[in-house]
Amino acid sequence: MNRKEFIQMSSFGIAAFFFLGSGTLFGKAQNPLEDPRENQSQNPTEIIDKDVVIIGSGYGGSVAALRLCEKNIPVTLLEMGLDWEKSGKKFSAMSNPGHSAAWLKTKSIAPFFNLFSLEKFTGALDRLDYEHIKIWVGRGVGGGSLVNGGMAVTPKMEYFKEMFPTLDTDKFYSHYFPLANKELKTNVASEEFLEDCDFYKFNRVGEEEAHKAGYKTVRVPNVYDFKYMEQEYKNEVPRSALAGEVIYGNNHGKNSLDKTYLRKATATRKLEILELHQVNHITQNSDKSYSLDISVINTKGEEIQHKIIKTKKLIMAAGTMGSLELLLKSQAKTQFPIDQNIGKEWGNNGNFMTGRNWVKAFSGGTGFQQSTIPVGGIDHWEDEKYPFFVEIAPLPMGMNVATSLYLMVNKLKKFGGVSYDVKSEKLDLDWNKSHTAHMKDNAKYFLRSMNKANGGTRAHMLFHNGFGADVCYHPLGGIVLGKATDQFGRLNGHQNLYVIDGSLIPGTIGVNPFVTITAIAEYCMEEIIKKDFA
Ligand code: FAE
């Protein structure tokens, strides 16, 4: 398969933009490991030097960019997806998928109702398919923040301590978590609004039913601006959450990273963001610098330029699956040195999607119109036999369905593992039904108790008869803090290579993870900048 075919076929293929960097050199002779230009495309390769490079513009990458730029350090941020704000393109609603709905697919890829054909485009939502699990991720400047539900949950202190026994828990809860929430613009909806708003009927129903079944519910903070949503409700501003926008991106209201960390970093004028730059693999040079093999792509996913960017300091923030793929693939392709712990302690954060149908006469369903932004959770984490946390999720498809949707977050009983298959050039996951069996038991217990108290059945029309063991929004781990890296994300065996993203968290954190990823990134970057960039 030639390079072009590979890019088009790969789920990491993409769309394009052309950037001329400084210090361009053509045809510089290097040893084969330093000049990884095998399978050249017809386009001449551009070789560029940069001081500091970050791969990926999600939570880890955005924190790293801001903290470095604030210290006057010039940063180049490489992102395989589109800069949506710059492109002037709109995100599409769930009921009408358009350009943003999927990364280079011809059919929509939401967890349900995929009846829509699409034009191939570098959309904001991607799905990585493995035998026993499907993993959804965000693509574009802002990473997962573009497509996620915005639930901003600080983990329970005890569980955080259990996952990270060597970290200073008190400092995290007094400093890094508050800092992360402040920068992310986390806020909470007013109870009055939630009580009045028709669009939150699904949540009121979900909470009432949970209470009847004896569960405790909690209000969940979010980065969607609830004051904006109140204005949407009154039709004073354009609607977004109340117009069915979420996993294909929000056009208004949501404080995604492009509106928070990245906007601040850009204001320093030290940040260069190169969109549609897909890093294929990395080579370590004899002087310990790194060469990144990059395809610049167009919005159809075709390579329009091939680049090598050389840098002394490299921060990998391509997300759990992206950073793992880059490290493992680079090892296979360029003998890139990696630690034996890479690929270990991977998990799905206990994600298990489930739902209920309840057909009570005259009940009125969960509402024709549903806000896309979740605000409620069911906290059953302390239970000894069936511990779980549940997001009361909307189903914003414009139907007054008598279906309730729940995303469960469970504990892990055993970790999965990630390796690289040279033949298929894809990641291999050691992950199967044995990893999720206890999550299914929890889902059965939860649905049974809810149905007993409220009537109903499990939602057979959703995923696999109502039990979505293979639905994963929160891949975590594989490059675990303090195992594959030192205590601050410096990759073992390297001096100037850092990993700052969800892969640092050992497979589970008990709640939706981006607040934790942000706080850990803040903690790591504080130390790295102090010691390695002085
Ligand atoms: P991430 O945000 O994934 O960013 C990585 C970036 O790197 C992406 O922009 C990639 O395009 C880019 N990239 C990857 N490979 C390459 C490459 N080779 N070259 C160049 N660029 C590359 O990483 N979490 C919550 O806490 N609350 C929620 O409500 C929530 N809802 C979610 C809903 C959905 C549908 C999904 C998919 C996720 C949700 N999450 C939620 C998970 C959350 O978005 C995710 O944990 C974080 O985005 C992960 O942050 P990272 O910094 O690790």
Side-chain angles (χ1 to χ4, degrees):
M1 182 183 301
N2 67 32
R3 150 179 236 93
K4 206 164 179 178
E5 285 166 339
F6 169 68
I7 288 162
Q8 283 170 345
M9 281 191 66
S10 156
S11 61
F12 283 102
I14 318 240
F17 232 76
F18 193 100
F19 251 95
L20 272 187
S22 57
T24 305
L25 294 169
F26 285 94
K28 191 177 159 204
Q30 292 179 329
N31 79 38
L33 280 184
E34 293 190 8
D35 188 7
R37 284 179 281 174
E38 78 269 53
N39 301 328
Q40 287 227 8
S41 65
Q42 308 92 316
N43 302 309
T45 300
E46 200 182 354
I47 304 180
I48 308 163
D49 281 306
K50 298 283 180 190
D51 291 337
V52 182
V53 172
I54 301 174
I55 306 173
S57 62
Y59 292 89
S62 299
V63 171
L66 174 60
R67 296 311 171 207
L68 286 162
C69 290
E70 270 178 350
K71 296 280 179 203
N72 255 346
I73 300 164
V75 169
T76 299
L77 180 55
L78 305 176
E79 169 55 54
M80 65 193 274
L82 194 64
D83 186 334
W84 285 87
E85 202 168 308
K86 204 168 98 186
S87 77
K89 293 212 177 298
K90 293 262 176 245
F91 294 115
S92 42
M94 284 192 73
S95 55
N96 187 21
H99 276 134
S100 68
W103 179 256
L104 301 175
K105 310 266 191 300
T106 50
K107 203 158 173 270
S108 60
I109 52 166
F112 30 73
F113 304 132
N114 284 312
L115 311 165
F116 303 93
S117 295
L118 297 173
E119 190 187 314
K120 210 167 162 195
F121 193 82
T122 47
L125 184 70
D126 198 1
R127 193 184 70 196
L128 314 174
D129 294 350
Y130 301 95
E131 193 182 350
H132 296 284
I133 190 165
K134 293 184 173 65
I135 301 173
W136 278 263
V137 294
R139 302 256 174 256
V141 173
S145 79
L146 298 175
V147 298
N148 65 34
M151 286 177 76
V153 198
T154 301
K156 286 179 185 281
M157 197 192 251
E158 278 311 305
Y159 200 60
F160 180 79
K161 216 179 200 165
E162 206 179 312
M163 291 305 110
F164 293 106
T166 57
L167 296 186
D168 181 347
T169 310
D170 289 341
K171 183 142 190 216
F172 264 84
Y173 283 79
S174 65
H175 178 63
Y176 298 113
F177 281 123
L179 174 64
N181 278 310
K182 185 175 134 249
E183 296 286 5
L184 293 168
K185 302 197 171 164
T186 299
N187 68 151
V188 181
S190 94
E191 290 303 317
E192 229 182 337
F193 174 63
L194 295 180
E195 227 11 82
D196 285 352
C197 181
D198 319 341
F199 291 76
Y200 276 108
K201 186 175 177 202
F202 79 91
N203 189 66
R204 291 194 294 275
V205 168
E207 289 182 353
E208 273 166 31
E209 292 195 329
H211 295 156
K212 264 198 188 162
Y215 290 110
K216 182 175 85 183
T217 59
V218 290
R219 184 63 58 241
V220 178
N222 204 287
V223 297
Y224 197 93
D225 181 347
F226 286 108
K227 288 284 165 243
Y228 185 91
M229 199 191 288
E230 288 185 22
Q231 289 178 293
E232 281 181 53
Y233 191 48
K234 292 186 222 151
N235 275 318
E236 293 170 358
V237 291
R239 286 184 165 180
S240 182
L242 304 191
E245 293 175 0
V246 65
I247 62 171
Y248 307 146
N250 283 91
N251 290 303
H252 312 278
K254 190 195 208 181
N255 282 309
S256 43
L257 291 163
D258 48 322
K259 315 271 184 328
T260 57
Y261 277 96
L262 289 174
R263 186 166 286 173
K264 272 188 159 180
T266 304
T268 65
R269 298 180 166 273
K270 292 282 163 193
L271 180 63
E272 175 189 38
I273 299 180
L274 302 184
E275 63 173 341
L276 300 169
H277 277 55
Q278 177 186 355
V279 180
N280 300 315
H281 59 262
I282 311 166
T283 307
Q284 188 179 39
N285 304 315
S286 49
D287 64 355
K288 302 281 184 211
S289 65
Y290 299 100
S291 289
L292 312 184
D293 181 287
I294 297 165
S295 294
V296 186
I297 54 172
N298 64 22
T299 51
K300 289 198 182 81
E302 298 155 346
E303 180 181 85
I304 55 162
Q305 202 198 353
H306 185 221
K307 276 187 186 176
I308 306 281
I309 293 188
K310 248 184 108 177
T311 185
K312 289 201 191 72
K313 290 203 185 292
L314 176 61
I315 296 176
M316 301 193 57
T320 297
M321 305 315 292
S323 291
L324 277 167
E325 168 155 324
L326 275 174
L327 287 175
L328 292 165
K329 189 203 264 181
S330 301
Q331 184 192 38
K333 266 184 140 50
T334 74
Q335 293 84 51
F336 192 81
I338 62 167
D339 188 83
Q340 55 170 9
N341 286 305
I342 288 175
K344 294 188 181 157
E345 300 196 17
W346 183 91
N348 71 345
N349 198 27
N351 283 185
F352 196 101
M353 192 73 98
T354 189
R356 291 172 47 238
N357 291 327
W358 44 276
V359 193
K360 272 191 287 183
F362 312 114
S363 64
T366 47
F368 271 113
Q369 297 178 306
Q370 300 192 9
S371 168
T372 55
I373 297 300
V375 290
I378 297 168
D379 184 355
H380 202 55
W381 195 253
E382 311 305 336
D383 191 74
E384 284 205 356
K385 204 159 172 211
Y386 300 106
F388 52 79
F389 174 82
V390 172
E391 168 189 333
I392 300 172
L395 199 55
M397 298 303 291
M399 297 172 288
N400 189 17
V401 283
T403 301
S404 294
L405 184 67
Y406 309 98
L407 175 61
M408 297 185 89
V409 174
N410 299 276
K411 294 187 177 181
L412 286 194
K413 283 204 169 157
K414 65 175 182 177
F415 287 118
V418 182
S419 56
Y420 184 72
D421 180 39
V422 180
K423 226 166 142 200
S424 66
E425 299 195 311
K426 278 186 158 181
L427 290 181
D428 242 1
L429 258 56
D430 169 19
W431 186 262
N432 54 48
K433 286 186 180 156
S434 73
H435 292 91
T436 53
H438 70 286
M439 302 176 199
K440 190 168 180 181
D441 289 344
N442 280 357
K444 278 184 185 161
Y445 170 84
F446 172 63
L447 293 189
R448 221 178 280 138
S449 58
M450 290 290 277
N451 288 335
K452 199 165 161 213
N454 301 287
T457 60
R458 81 177 128 111
H460 293 273
M461 297 296 280
L462 294 175
F463 0 92
H464 311 286
N465 269 328
F467 288 137
D470 60 347
V471 177
C472 175
Y473 286 173
H474 306 158
L476 295 175
I479 315 176
V480 170
L481 193 77
K483 304 248 171 85
T485 73
D486 74 353
Q487 288 298 324
F488 301 97
R490 297 180 185 98
L491 202 71
N492 291 347
H494 291 261
Q495 273 157 19
N496 293 304
L497 179 58
Y498 311 87
V499 175
I500 308 286
D501 60 24
S503 64
L504 294 173
I505 300 173
T508 157
I509 198 62
V511 289
N512 314 56
F514 73 59
V515 172
T516 310
I517 297 171
T518 307
I520 288 176
E522 289 281 12
Y523 149 85
C524 290
M525 288 312 298
E526 185 181 80
E527 172 77 10
I528 289 168
I529 290 174
K530 210 185 320 164
K531 297 276 166 64
D532 301 5
F533 286 82

